[in-house]
Amino acid sequence: MVMTVTQTAHTPTPPAKQMLSEQVYAHLRDAIMGGHHAPGDALKPQDLARQQGVSLAVVREALVRLVGEGLADRLHNRGFAVPAVSDRRWQDIAEARRTIEPVVLRMSIERGDVDWEARVRAAHHRLARTPAYAPDEGEYYSSAWSEAHRVFHRTLLEGCGNPVLLETFDRTWTASELARRWAARRHPGRDHVGEHRRLEEAALARDADTAAEVLAQHLTLTAARLTGCTHPEPAKET
């Protein structure tokens, strides 16, 4: 007698549902980044599903993805919400970036070749020539500037040649992008042009000490301006 073994196979997500989920995720991400949902606002799956004309499951899948990127909070028995401005996470992310990125930048300056120098110069040129604000994107940094900004910072670090460190940068960058946009709205007069120029100059001059110091100050300023502090908030004793 031949015995049949029944296996439970993982059912892949249907392409149509996957496409819908991606569309809803992109829409919600843009809405949060663009300030259409204020800090602390509830993100109600039922309302979002009705507005988007999709199922509750599709919306929840998109919201869970946003939670993973730090762009939404999952509240115990209360659904989802946009993170609050006062959330301690922004200081924690800034502290992590101040700890890691200046070290990686030193490595990049030590190891980067001429091609890396050319990429840094090109990325800075693009950033400097991209308008920080666009009339149709409100008071936050424009999408084009935000992408040029990300590319410049990542290019500075790419000379390190360590993909694990660059993946760490990618994760913390996404998580801090929302705070960066909020800080820009609260303090639109920030001299980001001068800050980035000093970073480029120090990196291309192979002045690792100055570059690391300028980068640490640059990273501190976003979190400090978001909370209205002039210095990073000290950790609370427990």
Side-chain angles (χ1 to χ4, degrees):
M1 181 177 65
V2 178
M3 298 181 64
T4 303
V5 178
T6 302
Q7 294 182 336
T8 303
H10 174 70
T11 304
T13 304
K17 181 183 177 183
Q18 194 170 27
M19 183 178 298
L20 274 177
S21 179
E22 182 66 30
Q23 291 173 350
V24 172
Y25 158 77
H27 173 81
L28 289 175
R29 187 181 191 279
D30 289 346
I32 293 171
M33 288 292 194
H36 300 295
H37 296 289
D41 273 2
L43 298 170
K44 300 178 180 179
Q46 295 88 345
D47 292 346
L48 295 171
R50 184 173 60 254
Q51 293 165 9
Q52 297 297 309
V54 298
S55 70
L56 196 58
V58 168
V59 170
R60 286 188 177 278
E61 186 176 320
L63 286 169
V64 168
R65 185 173 170 185
L66 290 168
V67 170
E69 294 184 350
L71 300 180
D73 286 336
R74 189 164 196 168
L75 309 177
H76 183 62
N77 293 329
R78 291 191 292 124
F80 301 84
V82 178
V85 172
S86 60
D87 199 314
R88 173 70 196 183
R89 82 179 67 188
W90 310 125
Q91 294 294 337
D92 291 342
I93 292 170
E95 182 179 56
R97 294 187 64 195
R98 286 195 306 270
T99 301
I100 297 169
E101 290 183 33
V103 175
V104 181
L105 180 56
R106 286 180 176 276
M107 295 169 60
S108 198
I109 290 172
E110 177 184 343
R111 300 175 181 179
D113 56 15
V114 174
D115 288 339
W116 168 75
E117 290 183 358
R119 293 197 304 274
V120 168
R121 190 175 297 279
H124 179 261
H125 180 76
R126 177 188 175 196
L127 177 60
R129 295 301 181 92
T130 302
Y133 300 94
D136 59 342
E137 294 192 46
E139 298 175 299
Y140 290 2
Y141 287 134
S142 70
S143 299
W145 187 90
S146 294
E147 176 60 11
H149 186 216
R150 182 194 69 81
V151 170
F152 172 66
H153 275 273
R154 196 181 198 279
T155 303
L156 280 171
L157 305 185
E158 285 175 351
C160 76
N162 187 319
V164 176
L165 289 173
L166 294 175
E167 288 171 6
T168 301
F169 165 83
D170 291 337
R171 288 194 299 272
T172 56
W173 182 273
T174 299
S176 63
E177 178 65 15
L178 187 57
R180 186 162 34 253
R181 293 198 177 197
W182 285 343
R185 186 180 183 185
R186 288 160 65 95
H187 300 273
R190 181 175 178 179
D191 182 22
H192 56 77
V193 174
E195 293 174 41
H196 293 134
R197 184 182 63 251
R198 288 189 290 275
L199 261 176
E200 182 217 23
E201 290 173 350
L204 295 184
R206 303 285 178 160
D207 185 346
D209 289 341
T210 298
E213 181 181 355
V214 171
L215 180 57
Q217 292 173 349
H218 181 69
L219 297 174
T220 299
L221 192 55
T222 296
R225 287 200 167 196
L226 182 65
T227 59
C229 300
T230 55
H231 300 287
E233 180 184 343
K236 297 179 180 178
E237 294 183 0
T238 56

